[in-house]
Amino acid sequence: MCEVAMEEQGSEITDMERCSSREEYGVIVESPRHRVNPPLSVVWTTMLYCAELITACILCKSYHKTNDVFWMSLTIVFMLVPAVLIQLTLTFIHRDVGRDRPLVLLLHLLQLGPLIRCFEALVVYFKAGQNEEPYVTLSRKTNLEKGREIELEIGQTERTLATHRNAFKRTAVIQAFLGSTPQLTLQLYANIQEKYTLSVRLALMIITLVSITYGALVCSVLAIQITYDSIKVRLRPAAYLCMVLWRALEITTRVTTLVLFSTALTHWVILVGGLNLLFFFFLPWVEFWAQKGSLAEGVEKNFSKLGTAVVLCMFTLLYACINVFCWSAVELDLAHQELINRKQSWRRLALYYSGRFLENLVLITLWYFFKSDFFEYVCALLVVVQLLIGYCLAVLFMMLFYQFCHPCRSLFKYNVHDCLHCVCCRPRPASRRGSMPPSYSTAATMLKEEPLELLDPQNCLPPDERESLA
């Protein structure tokens, strides 16, 4: 998964290698290489989609044989709803509605759109390099390691593959949080209620967990790429390891807590989930109304105000579903053209994880006191401790990522170290600030916080002495 994710973060029309460079006004010009990176993320997302769809169909057949109509109906719903949304997303991104492509539209109607899109991406990749093609556009990125601007020449092949990769990033997130997450919750609940494990159901649970973890990983990478759009982002393997552990532990403990709580207080879990969903759904809209902003015009120029509102509602629903189970890593701004607030809010991040930890603690404590007889032979206290420790480990890996592995951590005005220092220690008086040693997490950004004229030693002298030196 890490190899696929590494190809994912380098796929934003930046998967290039320096072949010839020249320096013009401090800009390094890079030409596209003859062989581009293979679309591994497209193939991986298609494999996850097909595996989950086929396994869910087999499980529905098993439920039909045993007359489990309730489990079968919910499994079909959680299988078809994300599949339909994925087809609409791929059609919308590739703009195939007004084009004469009946075979592609037919496959989308048969819920096989990702297969034909993956085939198209592979065809483009294998044909790359056969004919010499001029670049069609230029893209400028800042390389933090070299401190220089890099001008990238984008060819038609790279542009087409980038479109496929961007489309499959969105479908991976939709599949993960509108399909895989409720599917995993349902099958784990059914497994506990029926008190036995089907091999097909276990396989579906494993596939959905992998899909959710990958979708959360894509969310984190997309958040970094959107926030630092003008910077050439390169994530290292240690960063991916921290993110995978962070997301896997966060999602596993969250889903397990909700399922265990639902086995003890079945009807109350609907209230808990509904309140979570409504809160995160209306939060961006309340902020939008408080700012008295207007609807973003960058969604689609051909949409009316009603169509724009519908698209924004669907986008907000996806945002809410993500935040019910894990941190979305972005903040919505419906008044902005890109719909994303680029500023990193440590306050909101801390509030989210603090509130989620308290909620999980309350839910798992209620399960401990109201658990069913099925758990009499299980050490319930050990389960509670393991879930709480698992969530704390998820938060720990998240902090390690932002403190040491984030590719743009040198641009942070404040880092995790400063937030913890601010919470755990009393603030120093303002007069003593000059005598305090700078924090290593902000040392790289202190030059950007002071005006450039203050960096000149002559500016520290009185005005008359400066004139005499001149």
Side-chain angles (χ1 to χ4, degrees), residues 204-224:
L204 180 59
M205 290 167 60
I206 294 174
I207 294 172
T208 52
L209 181 59
V210 174
S211 176
I212 300 167
T213 305
Y214 179 68
L217 187 65
V218 171
C219 282
S220 299
V221 176
L222 278 175
I224 296 173

Side-chain angles (χ1 to χ4, degrees), residues 1-10 41 214 217 221 235 240:
M1 184 186 297
C2 289
E3 293 181 359
V4 177
M6 291 180 71
E7 184 267 341
E8 185 82 33
Q9 61 92 15
S41 59
Y214 179 68
L217 187 65
V221 176
L235 288 170
Y240 282 111

Side-chain angles (χ1 to χ4, degrees), residues 307-324:
T308 302
V310 171
V311 173
L312 291 179
C313 286
M314 295 299 298
F315 191 68
T316 312
L317 177 62
L318 178 60
Y319 171 79
C321 291
I322 296 173
N323 280 283
V324 168

Side-chain angles (χ1 to χ4, degrees), residues 414-432:
Y414 302 105
N415 210 325
V416 177
H417 173 267
D418 303 296
C419 296
L420 294 179
H421 184 271
C422 186
V423 172
C424 300
C425 304
R426 290 184 178 180
R428 302 293 182 90
S431 59
R432 298 179 57 190

